[in-house]
Amino acid sequence: MTVRVQSDPFDVGAELGSFAQDRTDVGAVVSFTGVVRDTKGDLQEMLIEHYPGMTERAIGKIADEAVQRWALADVLVIHRHGPLQPGE
């Protein structure tokens, strides 16, 4: 299991490709990708605050619970923080 909390953008396709590379023991790779939306057309940015240590622990706990509940082979969580623009 990997949990990364970062401010830098990342390539979702590259991350999924790397995550699934050489895996022949699973039948699917499932992902969720959030996108900053601007339904009214006036959003400048969204600021996601991050509390180092606490954020990683909380996300890690959620990921652990998911692995126990659904017997997942592996988990990768990449959570961005900081200022995010609509569409990111």
Side-chain angles (χ1 to χ4, degrees):
M1 175 175 20
T2 301
V3 174
R4 291 187 352 227
V5 178
Q6 63 189 54
S7 59
D8 294 330
F10 59 93
D11 182 326
V12 175
E15 293 291 345
L16 287 172
S18 177
F19 181 74
Q21 187 173 3
D22 300 324
R23 295 299 301 253
T24 59
D25 60 328
V26 296
V29 174
V30 179
S31 69
F32 168 81
T33 304
V35 178
V36 178
R37 65 180 168 196
D38 181 10
T39 57
K40 295 182 181 181
D42 59 358
L43 180 68
Q44 298 298 311
E45 70 179 19
M46 178 173 70
L47 179 63
I48 298 178
E49 294 184 350
H50 161 59
Y51 299 95
M54 185 175 125
T55 305
E56 291 85 352
R57 280 191 305 276
I59 293 172
K61 182 179 177 188
I62 293 167
D64 283 337
E65 291 172 1
V67 168
Q68 291 175 8
R69 183 172 180 183
W70 291 293
L72 304 175
D74 201 358
V75 174
L76 168 64
V77 177
I78 305 171
H79 190 290
R80 287 192 56 200
H81 65 90
L84 299 170
Q85 308 301 313
E88 284 191 286

